[in-house]
Structures are given as structure tokens and as C-alpha cells.
């Protein structure tokens, strides 16, 4: 049973470019949340997708957008990259918006470096 | 809004000694509380969780935590540190019906032989 998978593992971009990160949830899960973890900080909630719609959003600008596909996988898109977008991006999946005592399962993350 | 405070970014502990990581939360509704561990270049792994059942929660790898509502705390302990416990530890809070997590800044644990 595969857990949460993310691709790519590492990514290097330059300022102003656009990037797409991908996430496949754990088998049986239908909800995907994205978090940004800057170096030396705790993860910060970006947004959450359920039934192909954005259900909640954290304090992130519109440059951050996402999508969920019918197979529950998800993409995170970031436009007009800034140096400050350099971080580890974590995807977490769960069953429903708050199923099974709110537990979420995290993927290994995508390390984005913006030069 | 919910939040978590973890003091002391770096914690050094001798092998075999008690591990104590402090977590205080702020929440206007009954909280669900979590401790996650992160090893280098890896994602987050759940250690244990409190979801309004028993206030003393036992997790994996010998860790446990006690929910104290009067102190708004959820401190993590392990009686005897092992070298493999060297990692970063995060406390997080959510609430019933909403699994959006708010994390603390984390504690980097170093185990001294």
C-alpha cells in the first residue's frame, strides 16, 4: 500500500518562473492539503482540496494555486517565483475533511530552491 | 485562530536521559493535538495524537504526551533517549471537524552519547 507520494523530489527555479508540484494521496484518501515549510520553521498551511474544490486556504497570495483531479491527486502551482518561496513543500492526505480523528499522512516533500 | 508555541529550538539530551519537549496551544474550541517527528530530508511522521479521549497518550518509539487543559499544554516525553531519537519534533493543533493543522516552530533534538 503506497503512502503519499510527491514529485519531483528537488527542483531549482529562477525568480519570476512558474513551478508545478504534484502529489498522489495515500490509497483510500480523498482529501489533499499542502503545506510550506521554510528552513528552520514549522509547516504553514497553504490550502486544502476535497471533491476537486479548494475548501480552505491559509494566508498565501494568489500566486499559489492548486488543482485536484478526479483520481484525488493534486497539483500545487506557484507563479512569479520569489526568493522567499524557497522551501520544502509538503503534501498531506486524509479521508474526508476531518475523518479518522483528523489524522493526516504526509509525503516526503518537494524541495524548491529559487535562485 | 489556533496556534502552538514550542520554546527552545534546539534541545540537547544525553543518551539514556529523559526527553521533554514542551508544547502550549491556543484554541477557542476543544483542540486535537499532535506530535510529529521529521528526520533529515524526510516528511512528517505522526508520533501520537490527542482527540478528546484519554488525556495521557502513548505513541510510537516509547514517546507519550499528557493533555492538560488547565495549563493549555501537551508536553512530549520519553523516559530514556536513544541515538535514533535525534530529529526535529513538531507539535500541531487542529479541531473537531477541521483537520487543518497549525504547527509550532519545532524542536531540533540532539542526543549526546
Amino acid at each position: 500500500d503506497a503512502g503519499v507520494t510527491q514529485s519531483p523530489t528537488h527542483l531549482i527555479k529562477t525568480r519570476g518562473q512558474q513551478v508545478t508540484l504534484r502529489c498522489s494521496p495515500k490509497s483510500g484518501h480523498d482529501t489533499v492539503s499542502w503545506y510550506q515549510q521554510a528552513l528552520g520553521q514549522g509547516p504553514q498551511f497553504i490550502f486544502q482540496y476535497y471533491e476537486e474544490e479548494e475548501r480552505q486556504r491559509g494566508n498565501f497570495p494568489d500566486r499559489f494555486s492548486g488543482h485536484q483531479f478526479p483520481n484525488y491527486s493534486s497539483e500545487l502551482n506557484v507563479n512569479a517565483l520569489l526568493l522567499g518561496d524557497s522551501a520544502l513543500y509538503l503534501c498531506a492526505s486524509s479521508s474526508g475533511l476531518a475523518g479518522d480523528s483528523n489524522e493526516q499522512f504526509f509525503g516526503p516533500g518537494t524541495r524548491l530552491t529559487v535562485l | 485562530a489556533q496556534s502552538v508555541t514550542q520554546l527552545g529550538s534546539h534541545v540537547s539530551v544525553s543518551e539514556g536521559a529523559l526527553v521533554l519537549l514542551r508544547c502550549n496551544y491556543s484554541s477557542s474550541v476543544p483542540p486535537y493535538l499532535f506530535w510529529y517527528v521529521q528526520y533529515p530530508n524526510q516528511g512528517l511522521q505522526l508520533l501520537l495524537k490527542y482527540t478528546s479521549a484519554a488525556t495521557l497518550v502513548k505513541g510510537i518509539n516509547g514517546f507519550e504526551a499528557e493533555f492538560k487543559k488547565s495549563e493549555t499544554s501537551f508536553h512530549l516525553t520519553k523516559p530514556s533517549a536513544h541515538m535514533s531519537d535525534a530529529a526535529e519534533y513538531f507539535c500541531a493543533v487542529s479541531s473537531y471537524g477541521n483537520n487543518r493543522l497549525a504547527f509550532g516552530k519545532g524542536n531540533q533534538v540532539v542526543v549526546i552519547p
Side-chain angles (χ1 to χ4, degrees):
Chain A
D1 176 24
V4 179
T5 60
Q6 293 185 244
S7 63
T9 305
H10 295 86
L11 206 50
I12 300 175
K13 293 286 188 179
T14 57
R15 282 177 295 176
Q17 285 189 310
Q18 179 264 344
V19 68
T20 297
L21 311 181
R22 296 176 175 82
C23 171
S24 291
K26 180 179 169 63
S27 177
H29 286 181
D30 56 9
T31 303
V32 173
S33 300
W34 287 92
Y35 293 81
Q36 179 196 66
Q37 185 180 13
L39 196 61
Q41 300 294 318
Q44 298 290 317
F45 176 78
I46 304 175
F47 44 52
Q48 181 180 69
Y49 277 84
Y50 174 70
E51 293 185 336
E52 302 181 47
E53 290 188 9
E54 183 182 294
R55 299 291 179 163
Q56 295 189 76
R57 189 177 183 93
N59 188 27
F60 280 81
D62 291 344
R63 298 186 298 109
F64 289 77
S65 64
H67 188 78
Q68 186 178 36
F69 299 93
N71 67 353
Y72 309 122
S73 66
S74 176
E75 288 182 349
L76 163 65
N77 301 292
V78 187
N79 295 321
L81 284 167
L82 303 174
L83 295 179
D85 295 331
S86 295
L88 180 68
Y89 288 84
L90 295 166
C91 170
S93 74
S94 59
S95 177
L97 293 171
D100 191 24
S101 64
N102 285 17
E103 185 170 348
Q104 295 184 63
F105 292 79
F106 283 82
T110 293
R111 173 74 63 188
L112 172 65
T113 302
V114 182
L115 301 176
Chain B
Q2 298 175 303
S3 66
V4 162
T5 300
Q6 293 180 251
L7 297 178
S9 60
H10 286 76
V11 176
S12 294
V13 58
S14 298
E15 190 176 14
L18 172 72
V19 179
L20 171 60
L21 303 180
R22 300 181 186 275
C23 172
N24 289 90
Y25 70 90
S26 174
S27 178
S28 58
V29 297
Y32 284 5
L33 293 157
F34 305 81
W35 276 99
Y36 286 89
V37 61
Q38 186 175 37
Y39 297 100
N41 301 314
Q42 294 188 26
L44 301 175
Q45 180 183 6
L46 181 67
L47 278 177
L48 48 80
K49 61 185 178 184
Y50 166 78
T51 57
S52 74
T55 56
L56 182 61
V57 180
K58 295 186 184 297
I60 62 171
N61 302 339
F63 285 93
E64 65 180 38
E66 185 172 9
F67 173 70
K68 293 187 177 181
K69 183 178 179 181
S70 61
E71 299 178 7
T72 61
S73 69
F74 189 58
H75 301 333
L76 181 71
T77 60
K78 181 175 180 178
S80 177
H82 191 271
M83 295 301 293
S84 61
D85 294 326
E88 188 146 26
Y89 294 79
F90 294 95
C91 182
V93 62
S94 67
S95 60
Y96 176 77
N98 184 348
N99 65 0
R100 165 179 176 169
L101 290 166
F103 286 87
K105 291 186 175 182
N107 293 119
Q108 183 68 51
V109 172
V110 175
V111 182
I112 302 168

